[in-house]
Amino acid sequence: MMEKKKRRSALFYALFLLVYILIVLGVIAFFLTKVWGFAEEYEAARPVHTMDAYVENLNKNLWNDQVAQTIAGMPHEMQSDEDCAQVVKDMLSQGITYVRAAGTGSADSINYALRCGDKVIGKVTLVEDSSLADQVQYDMLPWIVSSEEFDFSGLYSSVEVTVPKSYTVKLNGNALGSEYIIQDDIQFELLKDYYSSYPNLPVMVTYRFEHIIGELEPEIFDGSGNQIQIDESRGEEQFLNYCSGDELAKLTDFTLRFAERYQSYNAGIGGDPAAVYTNRLAGYIVPGSDLDFRMKAAQDGLGWAHTNSIDIHYTTLNSAVSFGGGVYLCDFSSAFTTTGINGTQDFENNIKMIVVDKTGNMSDLRVAEMSQYKKDAEESQ
């Protein structure tokens, strides 16, 4: 009897334990279901989940009608629609990423910037999908794309180039007109002292063009239509017409002869200054010029120079620039030693002079004006 009672108690306990375990498992399953449902709803409600899917699809379809319309609506006077489309396609091939736009959006909207490389190309706005309000259990609505816009203005680059006014600048085969000149009549630094006397001297202009999608290299053509390459290291001097060949040889010969006569005359060598000027130097100077007047005005003082001899060590024509029309700017250096009442003295002159071709064949060259300068600072004295 007692044994039978023990067996019934053990069976009852086993049944109780089984029921308890089943209840506990049911409770756990219930809560796990709730937790799983919460996790799924939470994941679906994360905005990055929506953006990941959006960008993944965007990278599969990089070129669409909206992008094409955006590009077509951007000013690109020097490029065809096809050229611009290719630039954008090449850029988009790098892939699109996104980043949340800090400081924008609201409690029910989020803004993301679309990036390609280091450029921002658009914006996407997400909002909660209120149409699913009846289908969520924990008030965590998923996000959907509310609006998207593309902005490729960050692809714009500009070109700015300074060239002589007689030059032509082309972009993609199209010549830039005067409407793209942002600075006109820029004087050459080397010629700045001569513009008042020679109004036809060359000047420069600066072109600027801003509506370039991608990159375009300007093509530069000189006044004769020859394409040239600008050397940024040389500056404006590369645009000047430096003499060479027979022209340079004749100017060099003239400079050597003039320098010897000019320095000898200024040293008071050769006797009566008026006679020396008339017989040796006047034929090298434009008559009636300011230089002609200055040389004659110095004659009274030269009579007291008391210089016995002059030894010219060298004369070097550093450069010769043609202004056109038989007018040249010559730069020369000369060193010499004089001996006289004050003993031996050494001199070095650096001179710029305007040389005029009176005949058109360089058989009669004359100095119209001249000035000395300090070679290390290029300062006129």
Side-chain angles (χ1 to χ4, degrees):
M1 185 75 176
M2 198 66 177
E3 186 66 26
K4 189 175 181 180
K5 187 177 180 181
K6 286 182 178 180
R7 284 199 299 268
R8 283 200 302 269
S9 296
L11 179 61
F12 176 78
Y13 178 77
L15 289 173
F16 173 80
L17 184 60
L18 177 61
V19 171
Y20 177 79
I21 292 173
L22 289 174
I23 291 173
V24 171
L25 289 175
V27 171
I28 292 174
F30 174 79
F31 280 106
L32 285 176
T33 301
K34 290 294 184 179
V35 170
W36 184 258
F38 180 89
E40 285 188 320
E41 192 169 304
Y42 172 79
E43 183 64 24
R46 293 178 62 209
V48 292
H49 178 76
T50 302
M51 284 303 301
D52 286 343
Y54 172 81
V55 169
E56 181 181 1
N57 180 68
L58 197 60
N59 280 319
K60 291 178 181 177
N61 304 280
L62 291 172
W63 186 260
N64 55 39
D65 291 342
Q66 185 177 359
V67 174
Q69 291 172 6
T70 301
I71 295 299
M74 295 171 63
H76 50 274
E77 301 94 312
M78 298 298 167
Q79 297 165 282
S80 66
D81 289 348
E82 292 75 16
D83 290 339
C84 296
Q86 189 58 52
V87 170
V88 176
K89 288 177 180 178
D90 291 343
M91 181 201 68
L92 292 177
S93 66
Q94 303 174 41
I96 296 175
T97 59
Y98 68 89
V99 62
R100 187 164 180 169
T104 65
S106 62
D108 55 359
S109 68
I110 303 175
N111 294 326
Y112 285 90
L114 297 176
R115 301 178 65 90
C116 188
D118 60 350
K119 298 183 183 297
V120 175
I121 63 168
K123 183 181 75 171
V124 173
T125 299
L126 303 185
V127 297
E128 292 181 328
D129 188 358
S130 58
S131 67
L132 299 178
D134 296 335
Q135 301 178 32
V136 297
Q137 300 181 50
Y138 305 101
D139 295 327
M140 291 186 292
L141 293 171
W143 296 83
I144 59 173
V145 176
S146 171
S147 65
E148 58 182 341
E149 59 183 72
F150 293 94
D151 179 8
F152 293 100
S153 59
L155 294 180
Y156 274 136
S157 64
S158 62
V159 166
E160 186 172 311
V161 59
T162 300
V163 294
K165 198 168 188 175
S166 60
Y167 280 32
T168 300
V169 178
K170 291 185 178 181
L171 285 175
N172 209 21
N174 303 296
L176 297 183
S178 59
E179 64 271 25
Y180 298 109
I181 295 177
I182 62 172
Q183 190 174 2
D184 202 354
D185 294 329
I186 305 170
Q187 296 183 354
F188 283 85
E189 185 67 22
L190 182 66
L191 312 181
K192 65 181 181 180
D193 295 330
Y194 308 105
Y195 281 96
S196 59
S197 301
Y198 303 92
N200 294 324
L201 291 182
V203 293
M204 297 179 290
V205 295
T206 298
Y207 288 92
R208 182 174 177 83
F209 185 81
E210 297 183 335
H211 293 155
I212 299 174
I213 297 179
E215 301 288 340
L216 281 181
E217 285 296 325
E219 299 173 304
I220 313 298
F221 297 84
D222 64 19
S224 300
N226 301 310
Q227 186 171 358
I228 66 168
Q229 295 294 326
I230 294 180
D231 183 350
E232 298 294 342
S233 65
R234 293 185 59 199
E236 64 180 35
E237 66 175 24
Q238 65 190 297
F239 300 126
L240 294 172
N241 184 16
Y242 283 88
C243 299
S244 60
D246 184 60
E247 192 175 41
L248 180 61
K250 290 181 177 179
L251 288 170
T252 299
D253 177 68
F254 171 80
T255 299
L256 293 174
R257 289 184 284 113
F258 169 77
E260 185 275 326
R261 286 163 170 77
Y262 169 74
Q263 268 127 5
S264 295
Y265 174 75
N266 272 347
I269 300 295
D272 177 35
V276 171
Y277 182 72
T278 300
N279 297 328
R280 300 196 74 236
L281 187 57
Y284 289 77
I285 294 175
V286 174
S289 65
D290 181 65
L291 179 60
D292 181 36
F293 173 80
R294 284 160 46 199
M295 292 295 100
K296 291 176 179 177
Q299 290 173 3
D300 288 342
L302 292 175
W304 299 90
H306 303 297
T307 303
N308 300 324
S309 64
I310 183 170
D311 180 17
I312 298 178
H313 306 303
Y314 69 84
T315 297
T316 302
L317 179 59
N318 301 315
S319 65
V321 176
S322 174
F323 290 174
V327 180
Y328 303 90
L329 171 62
C330 295
D331 180 324
F332 75 90
S333 300
S334 184
F336 55 93
T337 300
T338 61
T339 302
I341 193 173
N342 294 320
T344 299
Q345 294 180 291
D346 295 320
F347 298 91
E348 183 175 1
N349 287 339
N350 300 292
I351 294 175
K352 292 179 180 179
M353 61 183 182
I354 298 295
V355 178
V356 179
D357 179 7
K358 304 293 289 184
T359 60
N361 59 10
M362 303 188 77
S363 61
D364 185 6
L365 298 173
R366 302 289 184 100
V367 179
E369 58 182 283
M370 61 184 293
S371 61
Q372 294 188 33
Y373 68 92
K374 296 177 181 179
K375 195 164 187 176
D376 57 346
E378 293 287 315
E379 296 175 355
S380 295
Q381 293 184 341

